[in-house]
Amino acid sequence: MAEGAVLLRRFAAPMQDELRDALREIASAAPFRQMVTPGGFTMSVAMTNCGNVGWVTDRRGYRYDPIDPDSGKPWPSMPPSFRALAARAAAQGGFANFAPDACLINRYEPGAKMSLHQDKDETDFDAPIVSVSLGLPATFLFGGAKRSDKTRRYRLTHGDVVVWGGPSRLFFHGIAPLADGEHPLFGRQRINLTFRKTV
Ligand code: MD3
Ligand code: FE
């Protein structure tokens, strides 16, 4: 897709049942919620996290926080199956010993989108980000190092895993509004996991 970005089609599909069960457990302890941006907009994507820290946004800003602000408790721990999947994908993409400390979980219902942005709230940009797409297909918008760079569109479908390392780690990206549909296992939604090493 770009230097350092490796698309592994259907890589996570063999683990779909295990992923679905683990997600159900995480969401029962830390329910999906639509967070508010520092600018005061409610995101169309609903989010939760697992791992040592979770990504949060509110009127004060964006940050990684060890505590879920909705429950006041730590985020659910990262299931060993998640950790292993992320490490195996990263290795396949050329990054040995990937040890994520955070997994941001995005839930898109039809119409939800994510505007063009960079992921730069982490401190270690040498570590890749690993993303896992589950459920309904999405149109992924992939730009370059500058917001004004032209974007290309990729269709990400159920089970697709992407390793974002090297220069692509800081490229602008987003998700077009999700088209309606029904996935046999995940129903009327798309779930995206992003594994991050934040420190
Ligand atoms: C390219 N999520 O959570 S996954 C995000 O599908 C995010 O939910 C989108 O962007 C989603 O920050 C896109 C693909 C992705 C994730 C992280 C990246 C692409 C990336 C980081 C750097 C470059
Ligand atoms: Fe992102």
Side-chain angles (χ1 to χ4, degrees):
M1 297 171 84
E3 195 186 332
V6 181
L7 172 54
L8 306 170
R9 287 276 186 213
R10 312 271 311 157
F11 189 84
M15 290 132 75
Q16 58 180 10
D17 291 353
E18 204 175 342
L19 293 168
R20 189 242 294 126
D21 293 351
L23 281 164
R24 186 176 296 146
E25 205 153 310
I26 290 164
S28 76
F32 285 99
R33 79 292 303 265
Q34 288 175 264
M35 298 189 199
V36 175
T37 66
F41 295 100
T42 299
M43 298 183 75
S44 59
V45 178
M47 298 176 164
T48 187
N49 291 275
C50 65
N52 293 343
V53 293
W55 187 84
V56 296
T57 177
D58 58 21
R59 291 310 300 252
R60 287 149 55 206
Y62 309 124
R63 65 192 171 276
Y64 282 98
D65 200 312
I67 300 297
D68 173 354
D70 281 11
S71 68
K73 296 190 300 194
W75 296 101
S77 60
M78 196 184 295
S81 58
F82 278 31
R83 200 179 290 286
L85 168 62
R88 213 156 50 74
Q92 188 99 213
F95 294 85
N97 308 312
F98 178 52
D101 57 357
C103 176
L104 170 61
I105 306 169
N106 296 328
R107 185 187 68 197
Y108 297 75
E109 290 179 336
K113 65 179 173 68
M114 193 174 287
S115 305
L116 212 61
H117 67 279
Q118 290 173 295
D119 288 23
K120 47 179 191 185
D121 298 326
E122 303 77 26
T123 52
D124 180 1
F125 298 132
D126 293 334
I129 288 179
V130 173
S131 74
V132 178
S133 293
L134 297 168
L136 291 177
T139 299
F140 175 70
L141 310 170
F142 196 28
K146 301 191 305 267
R147 182 176 290 279
S148 58
D149 288 343
K150 74 161 173 43
T151 57
R152 295 181 51 172
R153 301 167 118 76
Y154 294 87
R155 192 172 161 84
L156 291 180
T157 62
H158 179 70
D160 289 351
V161 175
V162 191
V163 179
W164 313 91
S168 77
R169 171 67 183 75
L170 288 168
F171 281 10
F172 280 87
H173 58 278
I175 295 285
L178 194 79
D180 201 356
E182 177 84 25
H183 185 271
L185 195 63
F186 284 84
R188 251 183 116 197
Q189 58 177 348
R190 169 176 184 264
I191 302 281
N192 182 264
L193 316 177
T194 50
F195 293 93
R196 300 140 187 273
K197 184 174 184 294
T198 66
V199 290

